[in-house]
Amino acid sequence: MSSNLVNVQVFTDFDGTLSIEDTGVLIIDDPRCMGSQERKELERQIMDHETPYRDAVYKMWASCTLTWEEAWNDHLSKCSVDPGFPGFYEYCKKRNIPVTVVSSGMKPLIYKVLVKYMDELADELNIVANNGRIEGREWEILYIDDTPYGNDKSKTLKKARATASEDTIFVFCGDGVSDISAARHADVLFARNGRDLVTYCDRHQIPYIGFDTFEQVEKVVADLAEGRSKLQKDETTGFSQVVPSSIDL
């Protein structure tokens, strides 16, 4: 049974956050598909608000011409998860801290990669992601909502917060543009160093904790859950910083 002093819930993006590589990029960058040059141009258009995220990503997936077997053998089988994540998940499991994977990618790809590295533990994870249609050499991403993101990750956080205790701390980990909506609804935001989410947060003065491995996330989450740290909210911006707690443990 958990002995947490504070309730915490964790939400994490998958591609480029929980996983080191991006499952979509691995496939889409294949020269038999869209290729990296056109994909990067579409990503620039997304960042500069020239093309809606939903439309650009749909076009990326529609460019794929690989069979599922080719996609797995040539690319997805080489995708790896952050080496610190399995240990982080075990810590959260022992402390009864819910962990939810929220992704703009395709659930079948995410699940298969997680099974490779976590075996049956992958079945315990709540995965909120888009679906996908893969028939022969035709790929189509099937969005789960009608928002500009196709999967508005903030909806998952809002739904969880509606049934959580008022003092629950919501932690979100991300790396890219699709994580922006969720980032604004988290109490603590982790952004993988060197990625687009860091650029966006710096540009818009959104507080975040940069990270390179989930071992760093685990330390902060453990300090919050066990009372060694607390949140200090800025009433002007609405964002919070993690600061040492004055509780005598």
Side-chain angles (χ1 to χ4, degrees):
M1 181 178 293
S2 170
S3 59
N4 297 342
L5 294 177
V6 179
N7 293 315
V8 180
Q9 292 193 31
V10 176
F11 302 81
T12 178
D13 169 53
F14 183 78
D15 291 303
T17 303
L18 194 163
S19 67
I20 301 300
E21 300 84 7
D22 185 304
T23 53
V25 169
L26 287 173
I27 297 172
I28 293 162
D29 278 6
D30 188 299
R32 293 168 288 182
C33 303
M34 176 174 283
S36 62
Q37 185 173 347
E38 187 175 352
R39 189 262 306 166
K40 289 178 180 177
E41 170 57 21
L42 280 174
E43 289 189 344
R44 182 201 65 76
Q45 292 176 20
I46 293 170
M47 283 289 286
D48 293 339
H49 303 290
E50 295 177 11
T51 300
Y53 177 90
R54 181 190 187 98
D55 296 345
V57 172
Y58 188 92
K59 184 176 180 180
M60 291 178 192
W61 282 113
S63 76
C64 296
T65 61
L66 306 178
T67 65
W68 170 253
E69 292 73 19
E70 289 172 341
W72 177 258
N73 293 332
D74 296 351
H75 300 295
L76 297 177
S77 62
K78 303 176 180 67
C79 184
S80 57
V81 304
D82 184 302
F85 182 78
F88 170 69
Y89 177 71
E90 288 287 3
Y91 169 82
C92 290
K93 184 178 177 181
K94 290 177 182 176
R95 307 292 299 200
N96 291 330
I97 297 173
V99 177
T100 301
V101 177
V102 283
S103 172
S104 295
M106 289 189 186
K107 189 172 182 176
L109 281 64
I110 294 167
Y111 176 73
K112 190 168 178 65
V113 172
L114 284 171
V115 167
K116 177 183 176 183
Y117 288 94
M118 299 181 66
D119 297 320
E120 68 277 2
L121 290 179
D123 290 316
E124 299 178 1
L125 281 167
N126 180 26
I127 303 173
V128 182
N130 295 306
N131 296 310
R133 181 185 67 84
I134 305 168
E135 297 179 359
R137 296 185 180 278
E138 293 185 0
W139 293 61
E140 181 183 17
I141 188 167
L142 303 175
Y143 294 119
I144 62 175
D145 65 35
D146 295 326
T147 65
Y149 291 106
N151 177 11
D152 185 343
K153 299 175 185 179
S154 69
K155 287 187 172 184
T156 300
L157 274 72
K158 289 177 184 176
K159 183 178 179 180
R161 199 180 284 277
T163 57
S165 60
E166 190 174 339
D167 64 343
T168 301
I169 295 174
F170 278 59
V171 174
F172 182 80
C173 308
D175 80 305
V177 176
S178 67
D179 299 317
I180 292 168
S181 65
R184 294 185 175 278
H185 289 273
D187 298 306
V188 181
L189 171 63
F190 286 90
R192 188 172 283 279
N193 290 322
R195 304 292 176 86
D196 287 343
L197 184 58
V198 166
T199 301
Y200 184 90
C201 289
D202 286 340
R203 186 181 297 176
H204 295 279
Q205 298 182 322
I206 298 174
Y208 66 92
I209 300 173
F211 78 101
D212 298 299
T213 170
F214 269 85
E215 291 177 355
Q216 295 166 299
V217 178
E218 180 179 341
K219 183 180 185 308
V220 176
V221 168
D223 284 346
L224 285 168
E226 297 171 35
R228 292 183 292 274
S229 296
K230 64 179 181 179
L231 295 185
Q232 186 175 77
K233 188 171 183 178
D234 185 324
E235 297 301 331
T236 302
T237 65
F239 293 110
S240 299
Q241 302 279 5
V242 178
V243 297
S245 175
S246 59
I247 296 176
D248 186 14
L249 301 177

